Amino acid sequence: MQETPHSAILNREEAKAVAAQHFSKQMELLRDLANYGSNLVIRAFDSSPKKMAEVVICGVLLKQVVAMIDAAEVLLSAGCGHASFLPARAAFEASIYIDWILNSDSERRAKRYIVANYRDERLWASRVVPGTSEELAFTTIAQALGIDIHANRPTLAREAIAHLSEVDRILAQPSLTSIDQEFTTARGRRRRDPEWYELDGLRSIRQIAERVDRLPEYEFFYSKGSQVAHTGTYKDHLRFSEGQIRFIPIRHLADVNMLLNFVVSICVGTYKKTLERYRPGETTAFATKYLEDWRDPFMNVVPVKYDF
């Protein structure tokens, strides 16, 4: 028999009703931003030189921003304001990656991103190839969980060897082999590869944000997303009041104003920079679109006060 939620902390219908009653225009705004972005991914790539930088910027990072805006709209429409900071945080990371790649040395930075992906694939494939050091360590972990991955999929080792060969072939290409070596050198004796942006001497997302002049967004908005991601504060979940503990509902929209400022700013800023690089003739129309369709619901969010 299915469980019935405790209505005091999980009231889905009430949360949806609040979203529909007070934030319908803002939900339409997020949907329209996602719709616009879905078209921009294709238009920008079609107008670009279609090199590795554009593959990564348009096909991966810009698409990620759009996907996370779409996810935030779905969550907010259901009254999941707290959880909406997770896709907002992911959108911010993708957006500053775009800024960093566009900033300079775009092709090389994009290739570093791609090579990092292939090296990660190589690591995972090595973990199921018998006789490798990676396989020995991974098998120990799997056995502790009571999992025999080869029994469940007898062809896995053979498939992994074939995939390793293909990854090695790709990384041996002249345009990528020197970058692959950069990662190997930078890794040294460390247990893991550096992040792709660490090859530029950066050590964190915060440093990227600082270098692309977006540190205020990082400090004010991204930190909130990180608190949600890592359960960084009890105040998102309960209050101490007059000798009692009061649990905060799982679904609520108390921070919707902050969330909308975060996601809309990310989205509009990223779209504008993409247009300036790949479709500069559309920037005037984009400004008009913002003024006519987006500014009013963005600037006029009705605050909702909860008595937690």
Side-chain angles (χ1 to χ4, degrees):
M1 186 175 72
Q2 290 190 336
E3 291 281 342
T4 299
H6 194 297
S7 60
I9 61 170
L10 182 54
N11 190 324
R12 295 183 177 93
E13 297 309 314
E14 181 183 65
K16 290 178 185 177
V18 170
Q21 179 180 354
H22 297 287
F23 302 110
S24 60
K25 290 184 178 180
Q26 284 70 35
M27 299 307 104
E28 290 174 8
L29 163 63
L30 294 181
R31 282 191 289 273
D32 199 42
L33 282 166
N35 293 345
Y36 183 96
S38 70
N39 289 297
L40 181 59
V41 168
I42 305 302
R43 293 203 313 274
F45 186 72
D46 283 348
S47 299
S48 76
K50 298 181 178 65
K51 294 184 178 181
M52 189 63 77
E54 288 73 44
V55 170
V56 173
I57 289 171
C58 299
V60 179
L61 300 175
L62 177 60
K63 184 169 172 285
Q64 169 79 339
V65 171
V66 177
M68 294 302 102
I69 296 301
D70 181 53
E73 184 271 320
V74 171
L75 288 168
L76 283 173
S77 294
C80 301
H82 178 69
S84 297
F85 279 94
L86 297 175
R89 180 179 184 265
F92 179 78
E93 288 188 11
S95 71
I96 64 170
Y97 290 164
I98 289 173
D99 289 354
W100 181 244
I101 292 174
L102 287 174
N103 188 52
S104 68
D105 203 11
S106 299
E107 194 68 5
R108 188 168 189 82
R109 288 174 180 174
K111 287 177 180 178
R112 284 171 169 170
Y113 175 90
I114 290 295
V115 168
N117 278 246
Y118 278 119
R119 287 177 65 93
D120 193 50
E121 287 185 29
R122 186 163 61 191
L123 170 63
W124 277 98
S126 297
R127 285 172 171 169
V128 294
V129 174
T132 65
S133 58
E134 292 86 359
E135 188 266 346
L136 179 62
F138 187 67
T139 298
T140 301
I141 296 170
Q143 288 174 344
L145 297 172
I147 299 172
D148 186 341
I149 56 176
H150 293 285
N152 294 331
R153 188 171 169 182
T155 62
L156 183 60
R158 184 168 68 252
E159 293 168 6
I161 291 170
H163 188 64
L164 270 175
S165 178
E166 176 63 9
V167 169
D168 287 340
R169 183 193 67 77
I170 292 169
L171 291 178
Q173 295 178 79
S175 62
L176 300 180
T177 186
S178 62
I179 295 174
D180 186 34
Q181 185 57 48
E182 281 186 81
F183 277 96
T184 300
T185 302
R187 175 171 177 166
R189 295 190 175 187
R190 291 194 294 180
R191 296 180 63 182
R192 65 166 186 86
D193 273 356
E195 298 290 346
W196 64 276
Y197 53 78
E198 290 185 59
L199 297 183
D200 276 322
L202 302 173
R203 296 189 302 275
S204 65
I205 298 293
R206 187 185 190 281
Q207 285 194 342
I208 300 176
E210 185 175 22
R211 292 283 288 274
V212 298
D213 297 322
R214 294 179 63 183
L215 191 57
E217 287 175 79
Y218 176 90
E219 296 289 6
F220 191 67
F221 294 123
Y222 184 81
S223 60
K224 171 64 177 177
S226 295
Q227 278 189 337
V228 174
H230 303 300
T231 325
T233 173
Y234 74 85
K235 291 184 178 180
D236 282 339
H237 297 281
L238 57 83
R239 293 284 192 273
F240 297 109
S241 177
E242 299 177 351
Q244 294 182 326
I245 298 174
R246 300 182 182 274
F247 291 98
I248 293 173
I250 290 169
R251 295 194 185 192
H252 64 81
L253 294 161
D255 296 322
V256 67
N257 201 316
M258 182 183 192
L259 188 281
L260 286 167
N261 269 292
F262 191 18
V263 296
V264 175
S265 297
I266 291 168
C267 204
V268 171
T270 299
Y271 291 177
K272 182 173 181 289
K273 288 176 183 176
T274 303
L275 288 170
E276 287 171 346
R277 174 60 66 97
Y278 299 116
R279 296 183 70 88
E282 291 185 19
T283 55
T284 300
F286 180 73
T288 301
K289 171 76 174 173
Y290 172 80
L291 292 172
E292 293 181 352
D293 296 341
W294 298 340
R295 184 174 66 172
D296 182 68
F298 177 42
M299 301 297 291
N300 295 285
V301 181
V302 177
V304 174
K305 184 174 177 59
Y306 290 84
D307 185 11
F308 291 146

